[in-house]
Amino acid sequence: MFDLSGKCAIVTGSTRGIGLAIAQALIALGAQVVISSESAADTARVAADLGMPGMACDVTDDAAQAALVDFALARCGRLDILVCNAGITGRPGTFADLAMDDYAQVMAINLRSQVVLCNLALPHIAAAPGGAGAAVLVASLAGLRGNGRINAYALAKAGVAQLARNLAVEWGPRGVRVNAVSPGFVATELSQPLLDNADFMARRMAMTPLRRPGTPAEIAGAVAFLASPAAGFVTGHNLVADGGTLISDGS
């Protein structure tokens, strides 16, 4: 039910953190994974470490995303799985203090890029031999709750979850499943400043029934499930992997 042998996947933002863990999980299930990030050096290093093809891609560049899909098809001969993971948080602050240039960049990387890449990739996934392809869009718990500090990010991630629902309706008749994953607070290199903040951690863990941050591997497991035959009847879903934060009243 979890065998991805013979499948080809693209994972954006896959040179560190959650994206790297996703790539490793799909590889462990037998998939060939195209490694990608905007850094050519990081992409080459991780691709070599994993023994996989890699191509640098700035997801704000539509032509670069088209080239990434073409690269995957040339290297694998098919495309079965797309994981849109690349994203940035942007500058923290309220909407009242929002710099519109930062807002534009956050929306471009976190939401618009996923629209473009899905439009480029899903026709090829639908045409793959054997069918049953899938896309998994990485959203966020921030898109499901009110947030006073990462407003543009939260807005973009809410859009990602809706994008998954819309694309599930659009592509379901052609055998392509589209789902989202919404991670909660995860221990990564980027979250290290928060992990080191004792006051923040005390507040946040009190709101989380499991009383700990998640790990990149745990988010990767959720993505791997949605990409695998085990989730063959799951589409348009937003799988929340947050240790229970969303459902907790903090008591």
Side-chain angles (χ1 to χ4, degrees):
M1 294 182 72
F2 293 92
D3 184 15
L4 296 177
S5 299
K7 304 296 186 181
C8 177
I10 294 173
V11 182
T12 63
S14 50
T15 58
R16 61 179 178 176
I18 291 172
L20 175 58
I22 292 170
Q24 292 169 327
L26 298 182
I27 291 167
L29 296 178
Q32 186 172 21
V33 176
V34 176
I35 304 302
S36 182
S37 78
E38 68 175 348
S39 168
D42 289 348
T43 300
R45 173 181 54 79
V46 173
D49 288 346
L50 298 177
M52 290 288 151
M55 178 182 172
C57 178
D58 176 356
V59 297
T60 64
D61 183 336
D62 295 1
Q65 294 209 96
L68 178 63
V69 172
D70 289 343
F71 175 82
L73 292 168
R75 292 300 298 268
C76 303
R78 59 187 292 152
L79 182 60
D80 305 275
I81 298 165
L82 172 66
V83 181
C84 294
N85 169 74
I88 61 169
T89 305
R91 294 194 294 268
T94 65
F95 271 121
D97 297 322
L98 183 66
M100 291 310 295
D101 60 339
D102 185 66
Y103 171 86
Q105 183 182 36
V106 169
M107 297 300 286
I109 293 174
N110 290 292
L111 182 56
R112 184 185 186 278
S113 72
Q114 296 201 22
V115 174
V116 172
L117 189 53
C118 285
N119 281 341
L120 291 165
L122 292 184
H124 297 288
I125 293 175
V136 184
L137 315 183
V138 178
S140 172
L141 176 64
L144 295 168
R145 308 170 73 215
N147 196 300
R149 296 293 295 166
I150 49 173
N151 287 292
Y153 175 83
L155 184 60
K157 291 300 190 178
V160 168
Q162 183 61 39
L163 176 62
R165 290 186 284 267
N166 287 357
L167 291 175
V169 171
E170 182 176 344
W171 287 93
R174 296 185 61 182
V176 180
R177 298 180 298 103
V178 185
N179 292 286
V181 169
S182 285
F185 184 67
V186 178
T188 65
E189 178 184 337
L190 292 178
S191 65
Q192 192 60 50
L194 294 175
L195 291 165
D196 293 338
N197 184 325
D199 290 340
F200 169 83
M201 289 300 294
R203 292 194 306 272
R204 185 55 182 266
M205 294 306 98
M207 298 166 58
T208 302
L210 291 185
R211 297 294 192 265
R212 64 172 178 84
T215 68
E218 289 170 326
I219 307 306
V223 173
F225 163 68
L226 291 173
S228 75
F233 202 51
V234 180
T235 196
H237 183 65
N238 182 14
L239 176 54
V240 181
D242 69 342
T245 307
L246 182 64
I247 55 86
S248 174
D249 66 359
S251 62

